[in-house]
Amino acid sequence: MNINIFNKNEKPYFHIATNEKIFNQLYEATCKNFKNYSKKFVTIIEGKKCRNEKKLFQELANKLSFPNYFGNNWDALNECFNDLEWLDCEQYVLFINDLDTMFKNKQENLKIFLDILVNTTIEWNEGREYDHFTAAPLPFHIVFYSESKASHDLLLSQIHLESIMFLQDF
């Protein structure tokens, strides 16, 4: 995979690494590539830390520097994901490690989270309009690591096929 795909606001927006080594190599290469650019943002969300809503919200708030007014609920998450003005970047890549361990016993929460991610990537990549404010399209990509067929099936059911790329090597 060529990491320059992250520089474009075109599909696929979602990338699924089926191998931890590939995921880690891609993350490291992206960090190295973004290192000298203050307007490019990359972070890794640790799925193992996100076994329930509260812990997911904490992990995201920490890694994305959410403002103090973040309400620790799904609506507030959606609002913060679609704002991110405090980061002041022109490109975003979120790596989500160990998707298989997120919400282990509450699959419906994982579906809600994925739905928010789908809407977020569409808004960022296609541009956003709020009342009298229009935001230009900016690249926003998400890379998942999962070896589980069940997780792959869930992703395929939540995300349009043309928006997904499975990563076999790097």
Side-chain angles (χ1 to χ4, degrees):
M1 176 186 173
N2 183 343
I3 62 172
N4 289 326
I5 195 168
F6 296 149
N7 296 329
K8 301 175 183 176
N9 55 336
E10 39 187 69
K11 296 176 183 177
Y13 307 136
F14 295 93
H15 314 271
I16 303 169
T18 58
N19 174 296
E20 188 172 22
K21 182 178 178 184
I22 292 168
F23 178 85
N24 290 331
Q25 288 174 336
L26 183 57
Y27 176 69
E28 290 168 12
T30 304
C31 288
K32 184 178 178 182
N33 180 267
F34 282 22
K35 185 178 178 181
N36 296 322
Y37 300 97
S38 63
K39 296 287 188 175
K40 294 184 176 190
F41 180 84
V42 63
T43 193
I44 190 165
I45 307 302
E46 298 293 345
K48 289 179 182 176
K49 293 182 179 179
C50 304
R51 295 189 181 267
N52 60 47
E53 290 173 63
K54 181 180 178 183
K55 293 186 181 209
L56 170 73
F57 298 146
Q58 286 174 340
E59 176 74 354
L60 291 169
N62 288 337
K63 297 292 178 81
L64 294 156
S65 303
F66 284 173
N68 291 336
Y69 62 78
F70 173 59
N72 291 296
N73 60 58
W74 293 117
D75 288 336
L77 177 63
N78 188 44
E79 181 180 321
C80 283
F81 260 147
N82 288 296
D83 186 349
L84 299 177
E85 72 177 25
W86 53 90
L87 295 177
D88 191 30
C89 290
E90 297 172 354
Q91 182 178 353
Y92 302 88
V93 182
L94 303 182
F95 284 77
I96 300 177
N97 198 0
D98 298 315
L99 179 68
D100 306 336
T101 62
M102 295 178 77
F103 301 112
K104 199 66 172 171
N105 298 319
K106 287 207 167 188
Q107 201 72 6
E108 64 273 7
N109 284 341
L110 183 55
K111 289 179 182 180
I112 293 168
F113 178 56
L114 291 174
D115 189 49
I116 290 171
L117 290 178
V118 167
N119 291 329
T120 297
T121 58
I122 290 169
E123 284 196 33
W124 280 99
N125 285 290
E126 295 181 4
R128 303 172 314 282
E129 289 189 33
Y130 301 107
D131 297 323
H132 300 290
F133 174 75
T134 301
L138 294 174
F140 193 105
H141 291 264
I142 299 174
V143 182
F144 296 103
Y145 162 59
S146 170
E147 293 182 5
S148 161
K149 182 176 177 348
S151 291
H152 298 167
D153 290 345
L154 177 62
L155 289 169
L156 289 169
S157 73
Q158 295 287 114
I159 302 168
H160 294 287
L161 189 57
E162 71 272 4
S163 296
I164 297 177
M165 174 189 287
F166 278 88
L167 308 172
Q168 303 300 325
D169 57 26
F170 177 73

